[in-house]
Amino acid sequence: MTSGGSEGTSWASSPVARATMRGQSSDSHRVPPKTRALQLTTAAAAAAVLGAVQLLAVHAVDALVRVDVAFRHIGDHRGEQGIAELPGDLLAESAACSGDQCGWHASNRTGGHDRRPRAARTVEAVQNQRVARYGFTPTQLSARAAYLLRGNDLGTMTSAAPRLYPHMWSWDAAFVTVGLAPLSVERAVIEMDTLLSAQWSNGMIPHIVFANGRDGYFPGPGRWECSRLADAAPDYPETSGITQPPVHAIAVQRILDHSRRHGRSTRAVANEFIDRRWGALMRWHRWLAHARDPLGRGRVTIYHGWESGMDNSPRWDGPYSRVVPGEDLPPYTRADLEHVTDLSMRPTDLEYDRYIWLVEEMKRAHYDDEVLPKVMSFMVEDVFVSAIFAVACDVLATIGEDYSKPRADVRDLRAWSDRFKAGVVAAANDRNGAARDFDLRAGQWINSETIAVFAPLLCGGLSRDRERALLRLFD
């Protein structure tokens, strides 16, 4: 990891990382008890808001092995039981360390009073709430999640949800890989191989890889028409024409970490994978750094809310409101409504018209990276994806150093990490450190109270005062 002063610290020194890394702090940099309590609360509460995103903040923590099966959707709109509905609660259970892990034992409860710090009591309360709600212990939840992973396994990919989302989604696949790695390094490698085999020649990893013989999802490959319209798209497999948050380097790190706990043959599989796929991972990061930061401001530009991984977030209400579907929008039939009972949990028809119109705009631009900035109705600098990218670049750079990859690649990755970290910090409110997206079409900051405001806690870089102010905002 890179190092520096308070304005240039690495992810490892970000507040969420400090709150979750074993040992909490070094002798030379102790986190005040109040701040530490806030940080631990952040790890548990943010998980309950968006489980898989919080996984990014705790990816270095050995204590989270039990929750390696977490994904991004908690209480999402998928309307069916399965993998999609476990992550937030599972992650909240395990992200909150036990009393022993926090260094506090039962002996601290004396005289009928619980003398543990507030953070430890909050952790236990979260655990008890989860067990009361589901009737599962954290270990049982982990076992159930592993069972669901296997149930959704299509052989070379894992479907996000068998009926409503029957294909492979990009950042879902990364979290699937995180979950598979402690169960089977070999199967985790297959998951990432399947995703990377669908990478476009320009470096983009598409947000959907379509599974053969599975229908029931719209927009499907016939609507995207990527293999026909986009020069960079592969002929096979069929994919969508947009991307998702770049968490993949973190998943690869988990594969490599777990492989070291096994024998020679498993380590060989992991080593061969990183040797074989290093170029693909570099092309992916290079594409994001260049094609998706056309203004060089250190923030990833997205052309559809789906690219954020937070599809229906209030963050996009303003940008979506300015998308006007054309009268020549080709007709379509929604498939999602066939799989849910409460239609209020799904987007309205007008909202879906806007989503599909953005796809039409991309198609008419032939998904050309140079044309998209000129024609897209939706064009937003996503501060949270940018923070994720800064972290992912740092993680991949460390992998590159550990596995003797080209020094030029490592330098590029460190430079991209610094650039996008600076972009996130520049998007933070001067008063409280809350990060904001920027609507490039409207030319204005997007101020919304969502988990995205805490993006700087992922990548670091805020001054100490603004970092503390942001933690107080969370509290």
Side-chain angles (χ1 to χ4, degrees):
M1 297 289 183
T2 57
S3 60
S6 61
E7 294 289 341
T9 54
S10 70
W11 178 87
S13 60
S14 70
V16 176
R18 291 199 306 271
T20 52
M21 292 180 71
R22 184 170 292 169
Q24 303 302 317
S25 62
S26 67
D27 290 338
S28 61
H29 180 75
R30 291 194 177 278
V31 182
K34 171 67 175 177
T35 302
R36 180 168 58 190
L38 289 174
Q39 291 164 352
L40 288 169
T41 304
T42 298
V49 177
L50 190 64
V53 171
Q54 180 58 19
L55 180 59
L56 299 175
V58 294
H59 75 276
V61 189
D62 292 338
L64 290 182
V65 170
R66 293 182 302 171
V67 299
D68 276 342
V69 288
F71 300 87
R72 67 184 166 98
H73 306 286
I74 172 173
D76 75 345
H77 311 305
R78 297 187 172 189
E80 62 175 354
Q81 281 195 329
I83 292 177
E85 298 191 2
L86 280 177
D89 297 285
L90 177 60
L91 190 56
E93 280 277 359
S94 300
C97 59
S98 70
D100 286 352
Q101 288 170 322
C102 292
W104 290 83
H105 302 270
S107 59
N108 288 292
R109 308 178 198 182
T110 59
H113 300 287
D114 192 339
R115 297 183 178 179
R116 295 172 300 163
R118 185 181 67 174
R121 297 195 302 273
T122 300
V123 161
E124 182 172 326
V126 169
Q127 290 180 329
N128 291 339
Q129 288 171 3
R130 295 298 179 254
V131 174
R133 180 177 179 183
Y134 290 109
F136 293 115
T137 66
T139 300
Q140 289 170 329
L141 281 171
S142 298
R144 178 167 171 76
Y147 172 80
L148 290 172
L149 271 177
R150 187 162 191 169
N152 287 17
D153 193 343
L154 302 180
T156 59
M157 66 169 67
T158 304
S159 66
R163 290 173 293 173
L164 187 55
Y165 294 93
H167 306 289
M168 170 184 265
W169 265 255
S170 174
W171 84 322
D172 291 60
F175 290 117
V176 166
T177 299
V178 169
L180 289 171
L183 304 174
S184 169
V185 168
E186 290 79 3
R187 180 61 185 83
V189 165
I190 290 172
E191 193 77 15
M192 287 302 295
D193 262 332
T194 299
L195 180 64
L196 292 173
S197 68
Q199 185 176 27
W200 287 27
S201 62
N202 62 2
M204 184 184 81
I205 295 179
H207 101 296
I208 301 175
V209 180
F210 291 103
N212 282 336
R214 292 196 167 239
D215 299 318
Y217 174 79
F218 178 85
R223 189 71 177 205
W224 291 98
E225 296 187 282
C226 293
S227 59
R228 183 178 73 85
L229 296 174
D231 291 338
D235 293 329
Y236 180 84
E238 294 280 8
T239 75
S240 65
I242 59 177
T243 192
Q244 275 189 324
V247 296
H248 310 84
I250 297 168
V252 170
Q253 182 191 51
R254 287 300 183 92
I255 288 176
L256 299 172
D257 288 347
H258 283 287
S259 73
R260 298 187 188 104
R261 303 171 186 172
H262 295 276
R264 183 181 304 172
S265 61
T266 297
R267 292 197 301 273
V269 168
N271 291 346
E272 189 272 338
F273 167 77
I274 192 61
D275 288 342
R276 176 165 44 83
R277 291 299 190 181
W278 177 259
L281 293 167
M282 280 302 302
R283 288 193 299 274
W284 166 227
H285 283 235
R286 184 171 286 110
W287 177 79
L288 285 165
H290 295 288
R292 288 308 183 94
D293 186 21
L295 301 180
R297 289 151 57 106
R299 291 187 289 273
V300 174
T301 299
I302 62 173
Y303 299 116
H304 201 301
W306 291 347
E307 293 196 304
S308 71
M310 304 184 194
D311 300 2
N312 304 324
S313 172
R315 300 160 66 196
W316 317 135
D317 288 352
Y320 272 140
S321 70
R322 289 181 279 277
V323 176
V324 181
E327 294 182 0
D328 58 341
L329 175 67
Y332 63 91
T333 301
R334 294 177 61 175
D336 59 310
L337 301 182
E338 299 175 7
H339 301 285
V340 296
T341 55
D342 184 359
L343 300 186
S344 68
M345 297 301 293
R346 298 299 301 169
T348 66
D349 287 344
L350 174 58
E351 288 170 333
Y352 232 83
D353 281 351
R354 289 168 173 159
Y355 303 159
I356 302 306
W357 180 247
L358 292 175
V359 174
E360 290 300 316
E361 288 184 332
M362 294 177 196
K363 290 169 64 176
R364 296 173 190 189
H366 293 262
Y367 300 99
D368 190 314
D369 288 331
E370 294 185 2
V371 178
L372 292 177
K374 304 172 185 175
V375 303
M376 293 303 298
S377 300
F378 184 110
M379 188 175 175
V380 176
E381 292 175 341
D382 187 321
V383 71
F384 208 90
V385 170
S386 302
I388 291 171
F389 185 53
V391 172
C393 286
D394 234 359
V395 170
L396 192 57
T398 299
I399 292 173
E401 291 172 341
D402 291 345
Y403 287 82
S404 301
K405 299 307 175 188
R407 292 181 180 179
D409 288 350
V410 173
R411 285 196 299 270
D412 284 345
L413 289 164
R414 297 294 189 199
W416 296 334
S417 179
D418 290 343
R419 183 172 115 213
F420 282 83
K421 183 193 305 179
V424 171
V425 171
N429 184 290
D430 289 336
R431 179 175 56 84
N432 59 15
R436 302 162 294 175
D437 306 296
F438 190 80
D439 186 338
L440 289 165
R441 286 290 173 251
Q444 63 187 28
W445 294 107
I446 300 172
N447 294 295
S448 61
E449 295 182 354
T450 71
I451 195 172
V453 303
F454 302 107
L457 301 184
L458 286 179
C459 63
L462 287 178
S463 65
R464 184 66 64 201
D465 288 344
R466 283 205 290 173
E467 181 182 287
R468 288 172 176 166
L470 188 54
L471 287 167
R472 285 195 296 272
L473 177 65
F474 185 89
D475 191 41

